[in-house]
Amino acid sequence: LFRSHACRKLKLPSKEVPDTYVSLILQPDKYRATKKKTAVKKKSANPEFQEKFEWDMPLEEVKKRQLEISIKNGISSFMSRDRDVIGKVYIDLSQADLLNGLNQWFELKEEKGNI
């Protein structure tokens, strides 16, 4: 179970305030079968999500993976049809207390070429 709460002080890729959403993938995932995403929050650099996500997978399998969390801009730029990644963080689930959960803020790493 993963609960997405909020993002604060996002570094914006342009002067335009993004339509943000969170993309989650349990890596490795060659076919992106574990991909999930939040609803898009319109025009917000400090979006509140308050959404829960669950994966139907044994705990032993989850502990072999990393959770890739990407904050994305839902507005495509005129130069690209791809969604701009604002930032990303990886959580090593082998090191996480999955039974009690994590309740903390994570600092996003900038995606080169997108910021």
Side-chain angles (χ1 to χ4, degrees):
L1 174 70
F2 175 81
R3 183 183 306 262
S4 174
H5 290 285
C7 298
R8 295 286 179 261
K9 300 178 185 175
L10 292 175
K11 292 182 181 178
L12 305 180
S14 68
K15 293 177 185 174
E16 191 173 323
V17 180
D19 290 348
T20 51
Y21 69 96
V22 178
S23 173
L24 308 153
I25 303 176
L26 291 173
Q27 296 288 12
D29 185 351
K30 185 176 181 180
Y31 301 106
R32 297 181 164 254
T34 62
K35 183 176 180 178
K36 302 196 182 280
K37 64 182 184 176
T38 65
V40 175
K41 300 300 177 182
K42 300 282 187 182
K43 307 290 183 204
S44 180
N46 296 299
E48 299 272 342
F49 296 103
Q50 305 301 335
E51 294 184 42
K52 288 191 243 182
F53 298 93
E54 294 186 42
W55 286 268
D56 187 22
M57 187 178 292
L59 185 60
E60 298 79 34
E61 179 63 29
V62 173
K63 287 192 123 336
K64 297 175 186 174
R65 298 185 180 230
Q66 282 189 327
L67 179 60
E68 175 187 313
I69 304 170
S70 302
I71 310 304
K72 297 184 177 184
N73 183 357
I75 302 172
S76 296
S77 69
F78 71 94
M79 297 293 287
S80 171
R81 299 177 85 182
D82 295 330
R83 305 290 190 221
D84 290 333
V85 176
I86 296 170
K88 193 178 275 196
V89 66
Y90 292 90
I91 300 172
D92 183 353
L93 298 177
S94 69
Q95 304 299 313
D97 182 354
L98 299 176
L99 296 177
N100 292 316
L102 297 171
N103 188 13
Q104 68 186 73
W105 289 93
F106 293 93
E107 183 142 350
L108 295 175
K109 305 294 183 213
E110 293 180 2
E111 283 293 294
K112 294 178 182 169
N114 285 340
I115 297 187

